[in-house]
């Protein structure tokens, strides 16, 4: 099953109830996801985060994939929850660990944390069918065309894309991207620049609340 959104996650589990529960949580939070009980798709497609239900076989596969240069952030779920179990998961290549049963908010918080770490270290960031090229400050459109952005334009778009479901007040965007000395109108100006270069839909205006990531037309 696949949902459509900016970020992509892979659920690795053979427990149908768990897969359904995780899928509902991720979809409601605005994340795209695929499912795979065996983890075989992990190297065949780009994923931002993998959520792996811990089994001995899954940990062995994870360790093997890490040796093959898998860089995707991995959250391991376990019904054991002991220190030794967590240590084993981290040794196999997990980036974070969550015992079952878990609170939905706790799982989503860990996913967001791993997403931020992925964004911070990524050279390219998925944005729907397009990508942000971090090194070149460019947006790579679906057919390969590149659109160059200024540093500030890129930082603004990257901030929005990193958390695609979040509505940012103008004051927060001003502080995050331009600094407290800038005016809130600076945010509007740079949203205008992004829309001029990438289309009106690239940044969504939310009445009386602020801005959030939009989409790029095919």
């Amino acid at each position: 099953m696949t949902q459509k959104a900016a970020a992509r996650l892979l659920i690795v589990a053979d427990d149908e109830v768990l897969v359904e529960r995780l899928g509902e949580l991720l979809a409601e939070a605005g994340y795209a996801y695929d499912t795979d009980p065996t983890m075989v798709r992990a190297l065949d497609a780009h994923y931002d985060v993998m959520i792996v239900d811990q089994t001995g076989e899954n940990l062995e596969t994870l360790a093997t994939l890490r040796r093959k240069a898998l860089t995707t952030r991995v959250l391991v779920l376990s019904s054991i929850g002991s220190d030794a179990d967590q240590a084993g998961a981290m040794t196999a290549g997990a980036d974070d660990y969550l015992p079952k049963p878990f609170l939905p908010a706790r799982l989503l918080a860990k996913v967001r944390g791993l997403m931020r770490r992925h964004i911070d270290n990524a050279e390219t960031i998925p944005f729907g069918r397009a990508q942000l090229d971090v090194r070149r400050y460019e947006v790579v459109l679906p057919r390969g065309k590149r659109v160059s952005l200024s540093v500030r334009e890129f930082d603004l778009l990257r901030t929005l894309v990193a958390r695609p479901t979040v509505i940012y007040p103008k004051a927060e965007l001003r502080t995050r991207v331009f600094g407290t000395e800038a005016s809130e109108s600076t945010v509007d100006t740079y949203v205008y620049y992004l829309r001029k270069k990438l289309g009106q839909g690239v940044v969504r205006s939310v009445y009386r609340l602020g801005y959030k990531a939009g989409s790029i037309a095919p």
Side-chain angles (χ1 to χ4, degrees):
M1 179 179 183
T2 303
Q3 307 292 330
K4 293 184 179 180
R8 295 186 64 204
L9 288 82
L10 179 66
I11 300 171
V12 180
D14 58 10
D15 182 335
E16 294 183 1
V17 175
L18 177 63
V19 170
E20 183 177 0
R21 182 187 180 196
L22 291 172
E24 290 174 353
L25 289 175
L26 295 177
E28 288 175 2
Y31 294 114
Y33 68 90
D34 296 328
T35 64
D36 185 350
T38 64
M39 214 184 301
V40 296
R41 301 177 63 179
L43 288 178
D44 295 333
H46 173 81
Y47 293 99
D48 303 294
V49 173
M50 286 198 301
I51 302 175
V52 178
D53 190 25
Q54 178 166 327
T55 65
E57 183 178 344
N58 279 348
L59 290 188
E60 289 177 7
T61 302
L62 175 58
T64 299
L65 292 176
R66 286 299 192 207
R67 290 193 292 271
K68 293 181 179 180
L70 176 74
T71 58
T72 302
R73 302 295 185 184
V74 174
L75 170 63
V76 166
L77 308 179
S78 175
S79 58
I80 300 175
S82 68
D83 291 342
D85 188 65
Q86 180 172 356
M90 304 302 278
T91 299
D95 296 284
D96 205 347
Y97 177 94
L98 183 63
K100 296 185 290 185
F102 53 82
L103 294 174
R106 180 66 172 158
L107 179 129
L108 292 175
K110 285 185 174 290
V111 168
R112 287 192 296 269
L114 292 175
M115 283 294 303
R116 286 193 295 270
R117 288 164 63 183
H118 173 82
I119 294 294
D120 289 343
N121 293 291
E123 294 184 352
T124 59
I125 301 170
F127 180 29
R129 295 177 59 208
Q131 288 188 330
L132 276 61
D133 186 326
V134 175
R135 293 174 300 175
R136 298 184 178 183
Y137 300 103
E138 293 177 343
V139 176
V140 185
L141 301 179
R143 295 185 180 180
K145 179 182 177 181
R146 289 177 172 267
V147 178
S148 296
L149 303 179
S150 71
V151 173
R152 293 300 192 190
E153 290 168 352
F154 191 89
D155 285 348
L156 176 57
L157 184 58
R158 178 178 178 173
T159 298
L160 296 171
V161 169
R163 300 180 67 186
T165 65
V166 173
I167 300 170
Y168 285 97
K170 292 180 186 179
E172 184 175 350
L173 287 173
R174 178 195 64 191
T175 301
R176 283 174 174 262
V177 179
F178 304 100
T180 55
E181 295 182 358
S183 66
E184 288 188 14
S185 64
T186 302
V187 177
D188 295 326
T189 299
Y190 277 83
V191 167
Y192 169 79
Y193 292 157
L194 287 173
R195 287 171 171 168
K196 187 174 181 180
K197 289 184 176 182
L198 296 167
Q200 289 295 312
V202 68
V203 178
R204 285 184 54 194
S205 300
V206 182
Y207 183 61
R208 291 186 176 179
L209 295 178
Y211 292 115
K212 66 178 296 186
S215 61
I216 295 178

